[in-house]
Amino acid sequence: MKLKKITCALLFIFTYPAIGADKGTLTIPTTAVTGNPLGVGSDQMVVPISILNGRELSLKRENTLAETLNSIPGVSNSSFGPSVGRPMIRGMDSDRIKILQNGVNNLDASNLSFDHGVSIDPLIIEQIDVIRGPATLLYGGGAVGGVVNAIDHRIPKEKLEGITGRGEVRYGGANLEQSNAAVADVGTGNFVMHFDAYSRDAKNLRIPGNAISARRSVTNSWNPENGAYEPYGNNHGTNRLINSYSESKGGAIGASMIFDRGYAGMSYAKHQTKYGSPLESAVSIDMDNNRFDFASEIRDLGSFFDRAKFRAAYTDYIHKEIDDGTIATTFKNQGVEGTFELGHQPILGIKGIVGAQFENGKFQALGAEAFVPSSKTNSQSVYLYEELPIDKHKVTFGLRHGQHDVDSKGGGDFIAANKNFKTNNSAIGGLYTLNSQWSLAGNLSHNERAPSYFELYADGVHAATGTYEQGQANLKIEKSNGLDGQIRWKSGQNSLTLGSYFTKFSNYIGLISSNSHDNETENYKPSIFTGIKAEFKGVELEAKSMLTDNLQLNVRGDYVDAKDKTNGGYVPRISPFKLGAGLKYEFDRFGARMDVLHAFKQDRVATNYNYETGKELITDAYTNVSMMATYKLPTQLNLEAFTRANNLLNEEIREHASFLKDIAPMGGRSIMFGLRGEF
């Protein structure tokens, strides 16, 4: 009832004409969605999408990609301390969320374990597209939850005479971060080169009080050394989170030839980072990622197929887990992925693309703590995506068929096996324009995902989760059907988007813990990848309104409910109901912003989830108040100074989606200073 009242009140506020709406100086632009093959604007997509770019992205950049996106409705941060975070969308994570770089899969090892970082640093990203909901047709059968596409412009696509670029330095925050980045494009017309470099150094995170939550400190925990429950000790720090530092650096070089009807280019990028694990004070991870990209597009072909586009990337990823100065485990991932698309001329008004996607990956885990075997994954898919405009309305539909081979080399206690899967995905959607202000959007989809190598073949102690993980080679394809709908309103500078979704899994692959410590292996409780029935449903809200010419009100909210329909109860690590509001003011050279986000208590927790306590612990509510101020310096250079204060109430903030929520809270009250410029 409370949620219904809040929604009705917000509908009234944002559909009522705002003061000064027609002459406001703050604008809400329509932004091109780079991941959409037809170049559709962000307010014309059938599926829900949010975009961060330009100045807004620059001021929201954080340590990780997930933390940078944490203000977007439906997105949460499955953090493993301040240096590691993979985006969760609508309560889904791992392989259900595709993380792309320039439209091509980011082949690291972040989907394998919560303590593995994403090999993309937000410092050099120019735009991030977040597609919430099933996006399996265009990005692969695994993207049941959504897609995060990070665009870096390392392969230039437009002609340039001269030089353009940007730079940024910042210092402060709860982890005393020192970071800088520089990006430059140099062109002689048709030939354009790109350069970028960045570095980041962060200390142990300052936190309000004890690292261990009050609920965890009074709970007995499982000790695998002696196979018994014992009181949990506070050995993760007070006021500072032990072993939460990080060091990162990297850079890239790229070049393109720009033609009248297209371009062709390539780039090389390197990313290195070293960070500590708050779970274990003597453990750190040293990551090194090398990536080669190639992209080309030709337009106006003058035939039935009027556009061709190709993009591919080769990744050589390695990270070493170091325990007390000794390399314990090494993870390697080498692979190539690419897509080829052909756009065709309208047929009876229908316009779209046909495409093919391939992925060849080789994963290796070496060392005493390797819990998955060396494996190979080969996938090939073909897909079709079409749009039919009908006056001001639009109908979309698409199909995708994939072949997936997942091989285990075996060795040791691992089985040698070869598994083959065929997946079929389909979707139909529509955008119905009621009038110049109101529109309705909906999407109905059938989604299939092939099990990953670790879901099939894992067999060993996983230190990050404290469990003995066991895959099942006989797992079936993960299947679901989804329904997504939105009501959208836009009038001048004001907008409102209210959406809801429902996804029903006939086979959801989850990591299920056993009910007892019988048949334990090495004193660790077994957890088995098992197919269950599950349902995900939720609501998302995003709205903006000009109160005066210079003052903008922003409101956001999201709620997700995910239930285990096989065993009863809830799916673990589901973000609580969140509701936030903010004021944004800009006048002349000065800008200011204040945001308040309240996360409600999450007591809809999973049973039979946590190997130490027997079930997932409740997470208390919190209110996060943040402020920002900016000032454009009166110089010939385009320089802007900014300061950002986070968690002004110094609350104990624990993100329920984080695996370490009861061990590693978010940072306490802090302030950061920075200077950014463009030329």
Side-chain angles (χ1 to χ4, degrees):
M1 181 62 69
K2 289 183 178 180
L3 181 60
K4 183 178 180 180
K5 289 181 178 179
I6 291 172
T7 301
C8 291
L10 291 171
L11 279 167
F12 174 78
I13 292 172
F14 285 95
T15 56
Y16 190 85
I19 299 174
D22 293 333
K23 56 181 181 179
T25 58
L26 293 173
T27 60
I28 306 172
T30 297
T31 308
V33 183
T34 57
N36 185 277
L38 303 183
V40 178
S42 59
D43 61 350
Q44 298 173 300
M45 292 282 287
V46 171
V47 295
I49 184 162
S50 298
I51 295 176
L52 279 179
N53 59 14
R55 182 169 174 266
E56 183 181 10
L57 172 60
S58 180
L59 296 174
K60 286 187 176 181
R61 288 189 178 100
E62 298 286 357
N63 269 10
T64 66
L65 190 64
E67 193 174 358
T68 300
L69 301 174
N70 212 17
S71 63
I72 293 177
V75 180
S76 53
N77 181 9
S78 62
S79 67
F80 201 89
S83 305
V84 180
R86 202 174 196 273
M88 290 181 68
I89 302 179
R90 295 180 170 180
M92 302 183 201
D93 61 359
S94 191
D95 275 1
R96 298 176 191 90
I97 306 301
K98 285 285 187 183
I99 298 181
L100 312 178
Q101 194 164 2
N102 304 310
V104 181
N105 196 14
N106 185 52
L107 296 176
D108 52 26
S110 61
N111 62 334
L112 172 65
S113 178
F114 298 106
D115 62 331
H116 295 180
V118 176
S119 59
I120 298 175
D121 197 298
L123 284 171
I124 48 82
I125 298 301
E126 305 292 346
Q127 178 170 314
I128 307 176
D129 297 346
V130 180
I131 303 175
R132 303 188 299 277
T136 57
L137 292 176
L138 297 175
Y139 303 106
V144 180
V147 167
V148 176
N149 188 19
I151 298 99
D152 54 33
H153 296 176
R154 284 170 167 169
I155 297 180
K157 299 178 181 179
E158 299 179 355
K159 294 181 180 181
L160 175 66
E161 290 277 1
I163 180 171
T164 64
R166 64 176 176 87
E168 182 176 319
V169 294
R170 56 174 67 192
Y171 174 79
N175 56 359
L176 290 181
E177 173 190 334
Q178 300 180 61
S179 60
N180 54 78
V183 178
D185 291 307
V186 183
T188 59
N190 289 353
F191 181 71
V192 185
M193 294 194 69
H194 171 96
F195 305 90
D196 68 61
Y198 59 91
S199 68
R200 186 195 304 270
D201 180 73
K203 311 301 181 185
N204 284 343
L205 186 71
R206 189 173 63 80
I207 57 177
N210 294 329
I212 306 300
S213 69
R215 296 182 187 275
R216 182 66 175 271
S217 63
V218 298
T219 304
N220 288 338
S221 302
W222 179 254
N223 185 344
E225 299 298 328
N226 56 21
Y229 282 104
E230 296 178 348
Y232 197 91
N234 182 17
N235 58 350
H236 295 277
T238 301
N239 299 325
R240 290 280 179 184
L241 182 60
I242 293 176
N243 203 30
S244 58
Y245 75 94
S246 66
E247 301 172 0
S248 300
K249 61 181 179 180
I253 181 172
S256 290
M257 285 297 299
I258 315 296
F259 312 106
D260 292 337
R261 296 186 295 127
Y263 70 91
M266 62 184 304
S267 67
Y268 164 71
K270 187 176 187 65
H271 174 74
Q272 294 177 303
T273 185
K274 184 176 181 180
Y275 57 90
S277 170
L279 182 63
E280 301 170 282
S281 60
V283 174
S284 62
I285 291 180
D286 193 348
M287 177 201 300
D288 193 333
N289 189 60
N290 294 276
R291 178 178 168 118
F292 297 85
D293 280 83
F294 175 81
S296 180
E297 182 176 6
I298 302 176
R299 301 178 293 271
D300 303 325
L301 294 178
S303 61
F304 173 71
F305 290 108
D306 59 358
R307 177 177 62 85
K309 187 175 184 179
F310 177 74
R311 55 197 177 205
Y314 170 77
T315 301
D316 185 2
Y317 170 93
I318 181 173
H319 93 234
K320 302 173 183 178
E321 298 190 353
I322 303 170
D323 190 350
D324 202 18
T326 302
I327 298 176
T329 312
T330 299
F331 293 94
K332 298 180 179 181
N333 200 9
Q334 295 176 314
V336 59
E337 179 173 302
T339 61
F340 177 70
E341 293 178 351
L342 289 172
H344 64 76
Q345 297 280 359
I347 307 173
L348 300 176
I350 301 174
K351 187 176 182 180
I353 57 103
V354 292
Q357 182 179 15
F358 65 90
E359 177 184 342
N360 298 304
K362 179 181 178 182
F363 175 83
Q364 292 179 283
L366 310 170
E369 297 183 9
F371 63 96
V372 287
S374 297
S375 61
K376 289 184 178 180
T377 301
N378 296 315
S379 298
Q380 302 84 35
S381 301
V382 292
Y383 56 91
L384 171 77
Y385 178 81
E386 302 290 336
E387 292 189 354
L388 173 62
I390 305 174
D391 294 328
K392 296 181 179 180
H393 318 303
K394 178 170 61 176
V395 175
T396 67
F397 58 92
L399 300 169
R400 185 183 186 99
H401 174 75
Q403 170 73 43
H404 314 273
D405 301 322
V406 189
D407 302 338
S408 167
K409 284 190 174 182
D413 295 329
F414 300 114
I415 64 169
N418 175 273
K419 301 295 293 184
N420 302 305
F421 303 94
K422 296 182 186 297
T423 58
N424 295 289
N425 295 272
S426 59
I428 183 169
L431 179 66
Y432 186 79
T433 303
L434 297 172
N435 53 44
S436 60
Q437 297 179 339
W438 291 91
S439 62
L440 301 174
N443 197 61
L444 179 65
S445 63
H446 172 74
N447 313 288
E448 297 184 357
R449 181 181 72 89
S452 65
Y453 62 92
F454 55 87
E455 292 170 332
L456 293 167
Y457 307 126
D459 189 9
V461 174
H462 188 183
T465 59
T467 60
Y468 193 99
E469 289 191 10
Q470 294 178 331
Q472 293 194 80
N474 62 348
L475 282 174
K476 304 299 182 181
I477 290 173
E478 184 174 86
K479 294 184 179 181
S480 66
N481 294 308
L483 176 64
D484 192 294
Q486 285 187 311
I487 181 169
R488 304 172 184 175
W489 174 82
K490 188 172 183 180
S491 177
Q493 315 281 339
N494 310 301
S495 66
L496 167 71
T497 302
L498 177 64
S500 62
Y501 58 89
F502 176 78
T503 304
K504 184 174 183 178
F505 287 86
S506 59
N507 186 47
Y508 177 91
I509 301 174
L511 186 62
I512 308 299
S513 299
S514 62
N515 290 319
S516 68
H517 284 283
D518 295 334
N519 301 320
E520 288 166 19
T521 306
E522 300 182 24
N523 284 332
Y524 283 87
K525 186 176 183 180
S527 294
I528 304 171
F529 285 103
T530 307
I532 62 173
K533 296 182 185 297
E535 290 182 357
F536 288 72
K537 56 186 176 182
V539 179
E540 296 165 347
L541 167 71
E542 191 169 18
K544 301 177 181 180
S545 179
M546 296 299 302
L547 302 180
T548 70
D549 289 352
N550 307 101
L551 184 64
Q552 183 185 72
L553 171 65
N554 302 290
V555 173
R556 56 152 292 196
D558 60 76
Y559 171 83
V560 59
D561 180 84
K563 292 182 178 178
D564 180 345
K565 305 298 287 187
T566 297
N567 304 301
Y570 297 92
V571 175
R573 298 187 304 109
I574 299 300
S575 181
F577 172 41
K578 294 181 180 179
L579 189 61
L583 290 172
K584 182 179 179 181
Y585 176 81
E586 288 188 1
F587 179 75
D588 196 20
R589 298 180 180 275
F590 176 75
R593 180 166 183 162
M594 182 179 74
D595 291 283
V596 179
L597 175 66
H598 181 76
F600 292 78
K601 180 180 179 180
Q602 180 57 294
D603 53 8
R604 296 172 291 115
V605 295
T607 58
N608 191 29
Y609 160 71
N610 191 293
Y611 83 103
E612 293 181 324
T613 64
K615 69 174 185 178
E616 188 177 30
L617 296 179
I618 293 172
T619 301
D620 293 324
Y622 67 81
T623 300
N624 186 4
V625 180
S626 61
M627 295 186 67
M628 179 184 295
T630 62
Y631 182 73
K632 296 178 181 179
L633 301 180
T635 65
Q636 293 183 347
L637 299 175
N638 188 13
L639 296 176
E640 182 178 43
F642 65 89
T643 181
R644 188 175 66 196
N646 289 330
N647 194 7
L648 288 173
L649 302 181
N650 203 36
E651 289 219 352
E652 184 178 303
I653 297 177
R654 298 184 184 273
E655 295 285 1
H656 192 79
S658 169
F659 188 83
L660 292 188
K661 71 180 182 70
D662 292 294
I663 294 176
M666 306 301 286
R669 183 187 297 117
S670 65
I671 186 168
M672 172 178 282
F673 301 93
L675 180 67
R676 58 184 297 272
E678 299 176 352
F679 59 90

